[in-house]
Amino acid sequence: MKITFYGHASLGIEIAGKFIIVDPYISANPKASHIDIHALKADYILLTHAHQDHILDVEAIAKRTNATIISNAEIAGHYSKIGLKSHPMNHGGSWKFDFGTVKFVNAIHSSSFPDGSYGGNPGGFVIEGEHKNIYIAGDTALTMDMKLIPMRTKLDLAILPIGNNFTMDIDDAIIASDFVECDKILGYHYDTFGFIEINHEQSIKKFFDKGKDLMLLKIGESIEL
């Protein structure tokens, strides 16, 4: 399993020869100007919620690649109406795809499309594939629901928002890593704009002092599990 950071909350995941894009907000992010969305491979696009900084490049990527959009029922329905392939989900449900099993889990946030229309309830994803399991939290506050995840799935990596203001901060993310029982963390949703800028060294040290590993990838950088 290979995971690439495309900036903000955008990820590329390669599992079992399939390519997944998560929350593509790339073309309008000046920090990701070296990432060409027209060169990205995508068999699936996972969307945690409908905010513009998570769906901006969905249509461009999906129309070019014919990728299947996986999200809550409202977001999936929205894209189905404009002719794109989609797979609707809702909280607590899971589905076995050709790359692995995806479960849609709770997140505490808001969700609306850029025009203000209803975007359903926000969520996160637990993905089990290639004998590796990851949790993509999406935009969320710290929530006790995270404690449910390790009751079903032993995680190899938790991908957590750490930018504060709109989501958890570093200290809450440390607690979240305790809740999901995973000490290997990939941080995201930080530094894109002023409200969510973080101190990298201080953030890494706070995790390290708790016996945890916080990874802050450069945009375009990858890790393999």
Side-chain angles (χ1 to χ4, degrees):
M1 183 184 296
K2 181 178 180 180
I3 301 170
T4 303
F5 181 53
Y6 291 132
H8 196 53
S10 304
L11 305 165
I13 305 174
E14 185 177 351
I15 310 174
K18 300 296 180 180
F19 295 89
I20 303 162
I21 301 292
V22 181
D23 286 358
Y25 174 77
I26 301 168
S27 62
N29 182 359
K31 297 179 184 295
S33 59
H34 57 294
I35 304 297
D36 180 7
I37 65 167
H38 303 293
L40 297 179
K41 296 179 180 179
D43 298 295
Y44 298 90
I45 300 173
L46 270 61
L47 302 177
T48 61
H49 63 293
H51 287 163
Q52 184 171 10
D53 61 329
H54 292 257
I55 68 165
L56 178 69
D57 297 316
V58 170
E59 290 186 40
I61 295 172
K63 287 178 180 177
R64 177 178 58 82
T65 63
N66 200 33
T68 298
I69 297 162
I70 303 172
S71 191
N72 67 34
E74 290 80 7
I75 293 174
H78 168 86
Y79 287 112
S80 289
K81 287 178 182 177
I82 60 174
L84 300 177
K85 291 166 57 179
S86 69
H87 180 102
M89 299 192 75
N90 219 318
H91 296 94
S94 60
W95 190 262
K96 188 172 183 179
F97 295 92
D98 54 4
F99 61 86
T101 299
V102 175
K103 185 169 186 176
F104 193 61
V105 298
N106 290 346
I108 298 179
H109 195 59
S110 55
S111 178
S112 58
F113 288 96
D115 64 1
S117 60
Y118 180 53
N121 291 316
F125 297 100
V126 175
I127 301 175
E128 300 180 358
E130 290 187 331
H131 308 292
K132 298 292 182 181
N133 305 322
I134 65 173
Y135 168 46
I136 304 170
D139 283 14
T140 187
L142 178 65
T143 167
M144 295 292 283
D145 288 336
M146 294 172 177
K147 289 191 171 187
L148 299 173
I149 292 172
M151 293 181 182
R152 287 282 300 269
T153 305
K154 173 64 177 174
L155 296 175
D156 297 286
L157 178 72
I159 302 173
L160 304 178
I162 57 173
N164 203 5
N165 195 71
F166 298 111
T167 68
M168 298 186 293
D169 63 6
I170 290 293
D171 295 317
D172 278 353
I174 291 172
I175 298 171
S177 70
D178 288 335
F179 284 1
V180 300
E181 298 179 11
C182 185
D183 292 334
K184 189 171 186 177
I185 308 301
L186 176 61
Y188 78 161
H189 206 279
Y190 66 92
D191 279 1
T192 314
F193 32 80
F195 285 125
I196 60 173
E197 291 179 352
I198 66 167
N199 183 309
H200 289 215
E201 291 184 4
Q202 183 183 77
S203 299
I204 291 169
K205 185 177 186 304
K206 281 190 173 186
F207 271 84
F208 180 81
D209 288 346
K210 297 293 185 179
K212 302 172 185 292
D213 178 21
L214 173 65
M215 293 173 286
L216 302 179
L217 298 180
K218 295 179 180 178
I219 295 175
E221 189 176 2
S222 303
I223 59 170
E224 295 199 28
L225 299 179

